[in-house]
Amino acid sequence: MSESKYSVTLGQIIKEFDLEVLCAAPNYEQVPLHTVDVNRPGLPLSGFFEHFDTKRLLLMGLTETAFVAGMTTEQRRESFERLLEYPVPGLIITRGLVAFPECLEAAQAHGRTVLRTKAQTSAFMSALIGSLYNYLAPRITRSGVMMEIYGEGVLIQGESGVGKSEVAIELIKRGHRIIADDAVEIRETNHGTLEANAPELIRHYMELRGIGVIDVRRLFGMGAIKLKQQIDMVINLEPWNDNTVYDRLGLDQMQTEVLGVKLPSITIPVKPGRNLASIVEVAAMNNRNRKMGHNAALELTQRMDRHFEQNGLGDELDEED
């Protein structure tokens, strides 16, 4: 992943992974990180700095520590001086290893931050890169309502006034949970999926025409809300149009692309008398059923084909044609 326009501070990473601060640079907690890449400084410690990216965090494990331990005191001092004169955001020592005095001296002299964790190097590196990816991932804001329905993350979209919030309220009363109303922040995770949450400013609030703004958390309790949710499908609500041919079998799975990720989507026409909340519930359950390998429309079509073949109706239809 290239450098992101978003950032996360070193202080947030320190808090998330409970890192021990061995040497603190001025305002180290506010140092911004813009890349998910992490450096294992084996080659730089030996004096090779070509393609050395100073914006990456440095991760020093058992291998690097053993390499430096084989140097003389003067060689170690020179090695850490060369490494830490570059404006790196921080050096993290893993496995709870003891920091070399020469490292701390160079860090103090050049104003660099040295941190430590007891975690194993590979496991920590994997978790760190995953966390950085989630912080720095591409993101957009979409108009709509984000709900968790039977464990499925459902993004409900549609033009203003079509009834998205009204459907959401009915779903909340049925025991489902809301993540965001009106504005939905979407970002790609390191697993190639999409995660949705609500902007901090309007989190837990909903607007209902004729009533105004309500606080879902206070009215319906903590069980009615959720902070974030993976998006599993998109439901588009649109006013019923008698001239539009709507899908009645569901054989062709429509898709909506968001941030390069394709999501299954359906369109539900809206008109008086339709119980939209029940339809949305069924759509979520059906999507979950499909992910488990069951496609009702395909199964029905195959059953009908077998019925025609067994009764010779297929040949009769061919002869009539």
Side-chain angles (χ1 to χ4, degrees), residues 59 90 100 110 113 116 127 133 139 148 151 170 175 200 234 238 253 289-290 295 300 302 315:
L59 204 61
F100 291 100
H110 295 287
T113 301
R116 182 164 59 189
Y133 192 102
R139 66 197 68 180
E148 182 207 54
E170 180 60 30
E200 182 69 31
V234 178
E238 65 174 36
Q253 180 69 68
N289 202 38
R290 287 193 173 197
N295 188 323
L300 176 60
Q302 292 172 345
D315 295 336

Side-chain angles (χ1 to χ4, degrees), residues 141-145 155-160 164 181-184:
T141 300
R142 286 281 181 91
S143 175
V145 176
L155 176 61
I156 305 174
Q157 296 184 313
E159 62 185 46
S160 180
K164 300 185 295 294
D181 176 65
D182 191 35
V184 183

Side-chain angles (χ1 to χ4, degrees), residues 115-133:
L115 308 165
R116 182 164 59 189
T117 177
K118 294 180 180 179
Q120 297 293 313
T121 309
S122 297
F124 177 76
M125 186 173 180
S126 176
L128 177 61
I129 291 175
S131 176
L132 289 171
Y133 192 102

Side-chain angles (χ1 to χ4, degrees), residues 79-321:
S79 181
F80 281 115
E81 279 287 334
R82 287 197 307 260
L83 177 67
L84 295 178
E85 69 180 358
Y86 286 93
V88 294
L91 169 65
I92 304 174
I93 300 172
T94 61
R95 302 171 67 101
L97 296 169
V98 176
F100 291 100
E102 297 82 4
C103 174
L104 298 178
E105 290 172 9
Q108 189 69 37
H110 295 287
R112 308 290 175 237
T113 301
V114 180
L115 308 165
R116 182 164 59 189
T117 177
K118 294 180 180 179
Q120 297 293 313
T121 309
S122 297
F124 177 76
M125 186 173 180
S126 176
L128 177 61
I129 291 175
S131 176
L132 289 171
Y133 192 102
N134 288 335
Y135 279 119
L136 307 178
R139 66 197 68 180
I140 59 172
T141 300
R142 286 281 181 91
S143 175
V145 176
M146 184 68 202
M147 298 286 303
E148 182 207 54
I149 305 170
Y150 296 123
E152 293 290 290
V154 180
L155 176 61
I156 305 174
Q157 296 184 313
E159 62 185 46
S160 180
V162 77
K164 300 185 295 294
S165 295
E166 288 78 1
V167 171
I169 282 292
E170 180 60 30
L171 289 169
I172 291 170
K173 291 175 68 177
R174 294 179 181 215
H176 307 294
R177 296 190 285 182
I178 186 168
I179 291 87
D181 176 65
D182 191 35
V184 183
E185 289 186 348
I186 303 171
R187 66 180 178 181
E188 184 182 359
T189 71
N190 59 320
H191 302 296
T193 59
L194 297 179
E195 184 180 83
N197 63 356
E200 182 69 31
L201 186 64
I202 61 172
R203 187 168 295 159
H204 310 317
Y205 290 96
M206 288 185 68
E207 178 202 350
L208 292 171
R209 284 175 174 79
I211 296 179
V213 175
I214 65 170
D215 187 334
V216 176
R217 180 175 53 179
R218 289 182 181 274
L219 286 183
F220 297 96
M222 294 298 294
I225 62 170
K226 193 175 182 181
L227 294 180
K228 57 185 179 181
Q229 172 68 35
Q230 176 180 315
I231 304 177
D232 296 296
M233 71 176 303
V234 178
I235 293 180
N236 298 297
L237 302 182
E238 65 174 36
W240 186 289
N241 187 341
D242 291 332
N243 297 319
T244 300
V245 178
Y246 296 105
D247 189 3
R248 300 188 65 177
L249 284 179
L251 281 173
D252 298 325
Q253 180 69 68
M254 304 299 293
Q255 292 184 322
T256 297
E257 187 170 318
V258 181
L259 291 173
V261 178
K262 293 182 178 180
L263 299 167
S265 68
I266 62 171
T267 297
I268 298 178
V270 178
K271 71 174 182 179
R274 301 200 83 195
N275 191 329
L276 291 179
S278 294
I279 296 173
V280 170
E281 280 184 325
V282 172
M285 287 189 288
N286 192 49
N287 187 67
R288 189 172 188 176
N289 202 38
R290 287 193 173 197
K291 289 195 298 184
M292 297 174 68
H294 305 290
N295 188 323
L298 183 59
E299 290 172 3
L300 176 60
T301 303
Q302 292 172 345
R303 179 180 294 186
M304 293 175 67
D305 289 341
R306 286 195 300 269
H307 175 75
F308 290 146
E309 290 174 3
Q310 292 170 0
N311 292 276
L313 297 179
D315 295 336
E316 294 177 10
L317 291 173
D318 290 337
E319 290 175 4
E320 291 178 5
D321 292 340

